Amino acid sequence: MPAVHTLLLEEALQDSPQTRSLLSVFEEDAGTLTDYTNQLLQSMQRVYGAQSEMGLATEQLSRQLLEYEKQNFALGKGDEEVISTLQQFAKTVGELNTLHSELATQMADRMIFPMIQFREKDLTEISTLREIFGIASDEHEAAMVKYSRLPKKKENEKVKAELVGEVAYSRRKQHQASMQYYCALNALQYRKRVAMLEPMLGYTQAQINFYKKGIDLVSKKMDSFLGSVSSMTQNIEAQLDSEAEAMRMTQRELLSMEDTVYMPDRDPAPVNRTLIQKAGYLNIRNKTGLVTTAWDRLYFFTQGGNLMCQPRGAVAGGMVLDLDNSSVMAVECEDRRYCFQITSPNGKTSMILQAESKREYEEWICTLNNISRQIYLTDNPEAVAIRLNQTAIQAVTPITSFEKRGEGSPNPDRAKPGGMQSSSGASQKTSSAPEPEDLIVPGTPIQFDIMLPASEFQDQNRAGGRRTNPFGETDDDCSPESDDSLLQQVFAVRFLGSMAVRSGQTQEVIYEAMRQVLAARAIHNIFRTTESHLMVTSSCLRLIDPQTQVTRIGFQLQEVTQFVAHQENGRLMGFVVEGRDWSEDDEEGEPSFSAFVFESNTEGEKICYTISLGKDIMEAKKDPEALVQLLKNMPLTNEGKFLLLDSETGNTANGGAPDEEESEA
């Protein structure tokens, strides 16, 4: 006998769209079988009740038996043995179309009754279990909706415990109902065969017993055939008993699990931060009006570099978002827990999702970040993800403010106890592809924001905006009053982080600083950034608060040794600033380098071009003829300044910028 299609009881608890889709196929098959069974039973009843039309009734039955081969069952057509057997029965029924009314009793007992029993017992059981399963699924969905609305800020342990118990109870109820439903559908695949063959076996035996096999020719032709059919049905019954026992054992094993399996946010397993594929249910926020939103619980999974979504009942999933170079960040949304946001690289598409538990929440963020880095395109993506995660954890020790540097030292190298001092050889290019350890000392702390003390902010207000930045550099030549620069361009940027580096003469050190800063933000869930205005002049760089117009930090342009935009994410740019380490007794001080990483609202190449132009102007000032030639080649404004690009800050320069935004880096 060919293999029988079955539903896996192990997948009943997860209740994935794939399982639901396969379940719909079984339900369609059961519906087709029900229709065919009713038609076959009507034919048998006509044979039983229409003695005067016995010949016509058996002829119709013969035709109906032949229709089994043409039935479009959802799980495939019937097996060849059943089809050939039914065809032989149809031929026999055609030959025995002269039956008498005395056959009615035997026909009722051996042909009509088994079919009615199959319809009333098995098919009706399928319909009843289907209704119970639907009710249990609806109760589970309602319980999950209540649990998903559980507030995070004002958490009531009693209410939470009640909701957790309600979810566990409804999930267990759905699990039990689904397994009973699956078992019944699996058993139906065996009973269907018996139900098709047993009535006809009884019908033919009734005919032969009624006539006492009076016709020797007919009886000799049928003995071997009926024996094979009887053996076939016995084999099917034995297979059904074996499969039913296996399903009962599996059901008992699955029901013996602990109650924590049914409870959300109770998974003791550690978070896996190296996944490159993930699937599961998430709540997605959808806009239903101008100011109203609704949350839908859908099944999401990753496929390559795409985020897919598959509603229940759908045969396949559809792509929701291309994850390559996208950003994933934790967000606070409508007082819901475990929410995160995915934003496309161009910033035009974003969505907010909610996970069921903290572990799922962290694994989704890590998985999507791994996919965003296109790790899945490498030869061994799992090993690459593990290596990147270990490297980021070991190499990054974040500090969330400049206030937390070692004893307020302006030199970043002193922020780490025992930090390696930068030597003159560290600023030279050692090779075409330096190792990360040659660029940045492992364990170098990272600063994620620039904060002004309250006293320093007041001093700036009294002193007309001048300040001493936390790195020890002075901005005497960068104040608005003394800035008579030919170049003055403002860019809207978000500061991502800075760290001490070993070299300031190669762009690779900026790329490595970008990687470590972004890795640290992802690992420690630091996604909030503050928008600032980066002013580039021909003498200095200044980072200005858009609301207060206070200079947060400033550098002389000659101190900027390297600057570059990210090769793949054009909105990222960074530069290296050279300073002096006065910790030793050396009068001149040892050179030290710091890398700063920013995210701009436009392409980072524009900022780099402006810095390069500022350096050209600064050099041209030393030679009047070169300065005149440079002025001739560049368009100027009415005020005599270089005309570059339209201001990116717009009205935000007047203090209208938001305090904080979420980085898309």
Side-chain angles (χ1 to χ4, degrees):
M1 295 293 291
V4 177
H5 299 280
T6 59
L7 287 166
L8 297 179
L9 300 182
E10 293 82 356
E11 298 179 359
L13 178 59
Q14 184 181 10
D15 194 24
S16 65
Q18 291 85 349
T19 305
R20 284 294 184 107
S21 179
L22 182 60
L23 176 62
S24 65
V25 177
F26 275 79
E27 292 174 344
E28 182 181 353
D29 185 86
T32 305
L33 179 62
T34 301
D35 296 337
Y36 177 77
T37 301
N38 291 332
Q39 296 174 6
L40 184 60
L41 182 59
Q42 289 176 2
S43 300
M44 293 179 178
Q45 289 174 339
R46 183 175 180 182
V47 173
Y48 170 73
Q51 177 181 354
S52 60
E53 299 178 356
M54 186 63 68
L56 296 176
T58 51
E59 183 179 0
Q60 181 183 0
L61 177 60
S62 178
R63 291 197 303 267
Q64 193 64 43
L65 291 175
L66 294 175
E67 287 295 322
Y68 182 80
E69 182 181 7
K70 302 177 182 179
Q71 294 301 308
N72 187 20
F73 292 108
L75 297 178
K77 292 187 177 181
D79 54 87
E80 295 298 328
E81 289 186 86
V82 175
I83 292 176
S84 60
T85 303
L86 291 179
Q87 289 175 346
Q88 184 63 32
F89 274 126
K91 181 179 179 180
T92 302
V93 171
E95 295 174 353
L96 299 176
N97 57 1
T98 57
L99 298 178
H100 297 276
S101 59
E102 290 82 3
L103 295 176
T105 302
Q106 294 189 25
M107 288 167 56
D109 294 338
R110 308 179 69 175
M111 182 178 69
I112 302 297
F113 178 73
M115 185 58 65
I116 293 178
Q117 189 178 31
F118 171 71
R119 185 186 68 175
E120 299 299 328
K121 179 181 178 181
D122 297 321
L123 297 181
T124 303
E125 180 187 15
I126 293 294
S127 178
T128 303
L129 290 176
R130 181 178 182 179
E131 295 178 0
I132 295 174
F133 174 69
I135 294 173
S137 297
D138 293 339
E139 291 178 354
H140 176 250
E141 287 298 319
M144 284 305 305
V145 169
K146 292 181 180 178
Y147 175 79
S148 298
R149 293 174 179 171
L150 190 65
K152 176 182 178 183
K153 296 180 180 178
K154 297 181 180 179
E155 186 171 292
N156 190 320
E157 292 297 330
K158 181 178 179 181
V159 174
K160 180 180 178 181
E162 293 176 355
L163 291 179
V164 169
E166 182 178 354
V167 170
Y169 172 76
S170 61
R171 188 169 288 178
R172 174 184 285 275
K173 183 178 179 180
Q174 183 195 20
H175 190 200
Q176 293 175 344
S178 61
M179 286 194 294
Q180 293 178 359
Y181 189 29
Y182 291 1
C183 291
L185 288 174
N186 291 339
L188 184 64
Q189 301 306 311
Y190 294 93
R191 294 189 176 116
K192 174 177 68 175
R193 299 181 176 185
V194 177
M196 296 297 105
L197 301 178
E198 186 179 11
M200 296 313 306
L201 178 62
Y203 171 79
T204 307
Q205 289 176 344
Q207 291 279 13
I208 295 175
N209 292 334
F210 178 77
Y211 285 108
K212 296 181 180 181
K213 300 182 180 180
I215 305 175
D216 295 338
L217 180 61
V218 175
S219 62
K220 291 179 180 180
K221 289 171 56 179
M222 296 297 296
D223 281 343
S224 60
F225 171 68
L226 295 178
S228 63
V229 174
S230 178
S231 299
M232 184 187 304
T233 56
Q234 291 176 3
N235 291 335
I236 296 174
E237 290 284 357
Q239 292 181 16
L240 172 60
D241 294 340
S242 176
E243 182 67 21
E245 181 62 25
M247 289 189 293
R248 283 193 293 269
M249 293 294 294
T250 304
Q251 186 174 1
R252 284 195 296 268
E253 181 181 351
L254 294 176
L255 289 176
S256 64
M257 297 183 297
E258 298 181 359
D259 292 339
T260 55
V261 176
Y262 302 96
M263 298 180 181
D265 208 7
R266 290 292 189 276
D267 195 346
V271 177
N272 188 351
R273 301 181 183 275
T274 61
L275 296 175
I276 57 173
Q277 288 184 343
K278 189 162 182 64
Y281 280 99
L282 295 172
N283 291 334
I284 182 173
R285 189 181 72 165
N286 296 318
K287 285 188 176 182
T288 57
L290 294 176
V291 295
T292 58
T293 58
W295 293 81
D296 297 323
R297 188 168 181 261
L298 300 176
Y299 189 83
F300 288 85
F301 61 96
T302 60
Q303 189 176 72
N306 300 324
L307 179 63
M308 313 289 287
C309 176
Q310 184 174 359
R312 288 187 178 180
V315 178
M319 190 182 81
V320 179
L321 188 64
D322 185 358
L323 297 175
D324 289 346
N325 297 321
S326 62
S327 64
V328 186
M329 64 197 71
V331 295
E332 299 289 340
C333 185
E334 300 181 7
D335 196 24
R336 284 188 175 230
R337 303 185 301 170
Y338 312 136
C339 293
F340 59 94
Q341 177 175 300
I342 309 174
T343 308
S344 61
N346 58 14
K348 296 181 179 179
T349 304
S350 64
M351 64 177 59
I352 296 179
L353 303 172
Q354 180 189 18
E356 180 177 304
S357 64
K358 184 177 181 180
R359 175 174 173 269
E360 288 289 307
Y361 158 78
E362 294 185 4
E363 285 192 351
W364 269 108
I365 291 180
C366 294
T367 303
L368 297 178
N369 275 320
N370 291 338
I371 296 175
S372 175
R373 300 174 187 172
Q374 300 182 351
I375 296 177
Y376 65 93
L377 297 178
T378 60
D379 295 335
N380 192 351
E382 291 82 3
V384 174
I386 293 174
R387 185 174 70 253
L388 289 177
N389 181 67
Q390 292 177 347
T391 301
I393 292 177
Q394 296 173 359
V396 177
T397 306
I399 297 178
T400 59
S401 173
F402 281 94
E403 300 295 324
K404 297 182 181 180
R405 285 185 166 188
E407 299 181 2
S409 171
N411 183 11
D413 288 336
R414 283 184 253 162
K416 179 179 181 295
M420 183 179 296
Q421 298 293 334
S422 300
S423 63
S424 58
S427 62
Q428 298 176 357
K429 296 182 180 179
T430 58
S431 62
S432 58
E435 295 295 330
E437 293 79 4
D438 300 332
L439 302 174
I440 301 175
V441 178
T444 300
I446 300 175
Q447 289 76 34
F448 290 126
D449 58 6
I450 302 176
M451 308 217 23
L452 298 178
S455 60
E456 190 172 351
F457 178 76
Q458 294 173 359
D459 292 341
Q460 288 194 55
N461 290 336
R462 291 193 295 266
R466 297 186 58 186
R467 66 181 292 266
T468 301
N469 62 63
F471 294 94
E473 297 87 351
T474 60
D475 55 352
D476 297 337
D477 298 332
C478 295
S479 61
E481 295 82 351
S482 62
D483 191 3
D484 57 352
S485 173
L486 295 174
L487 174 67
Q488 183 172 315
Q489 184 71 18
V490 179
F491 299 91
V493 297
R494 284 175 293 279
F495 177 73
L496 299 182
S498 66
M499 60 192 309
V501 297
R502 284 180 166 178
S503 172
Q505 306 302 324
T506 174
Q507 294 180 349
E508 296 298 329
V509 71
I510 302 179
Y511 294 141
E512 179 63 20
M514 289 180 179
R515 186 192 69 80
Q516 292 198 20
V517 168
L518 295 180
R521 281 183 170 271
I523 290 174
H524 298 278
N525 293 329
I526 303 175
F527 300 105
R528 291 286 183 178
T529 58
T530 303
E531 182 171 295
S532 303
H533 290 172
L534 179 63
M535 176 178 288
V536 182
T537 70
S538 60
S539 59
C540 65
L541 300 178
R542 289 197 299 156
L543 197 64
I544 303 173
D545 189 310
Q547 292 185 344
T548 63
Q549 297 302 306
V550 173
T551 300
R552 291 176 173 172
I553 192 172
F555 303 103
Q556 295 299 317
L557 204 57
Q558 61 266 25
E559 297 174 352
V560 180
T561 60
Q562 288 291 335
F563 49 91
V564 69
H566 197 275
Q567 295 172 332
E568 297 178 358
N569 188 350
R571 301 176 65 179
L572 291 180
M573 66 83 56
F575 56 80
V576 177
V577 177
E578 181 179 0
R580 292 291 171 179
D581 185 3
W582 305 98
S583 59
E584 302 294 338
D585 295 334
D586 190 352
E587 295 181 358
E588 296 183 357
E590 291 292 333
S592 62
F593 300 93
S594 301
F596 294 80
V597 181
F598 294 88
E599 180 187 29
S600 64
N601 288 349
T602 60
E603 297 180 3
E605 290 290 347
K606 295 181 180 180
I607 302 178
C608 294
Y609 169 74
T610 308
I611 297 176
S612 176
L613 181 59
K615 283 183 166 291
D616 292 341
I617 297 174
M618 183 177 61
E619 292 297 327
K621 286 181 179 181
K622 301 176 182 179
D623 186 359
E625 294 182 0
L627 180 59
V628 171
Q629 186 64 30
L630 183 61
L631 293 174
K632 289 181 179 181
N633 296 333
M634 292 295 295
L636 302 176
T637 64
N638 295 332
E639 300 176 355
K641 296 181 181 294
F642 282 91
L643 179 61
L644 295 174
L645 305 171
D646 294 337
S647 176
E648 299 176 9
T649 59
N651 295 329
T652 60
N654 297 325
D659 288 339
E660 289 187 344
E661 293 187 1
E662 293 172 353
S663 172
E664 299 179 3

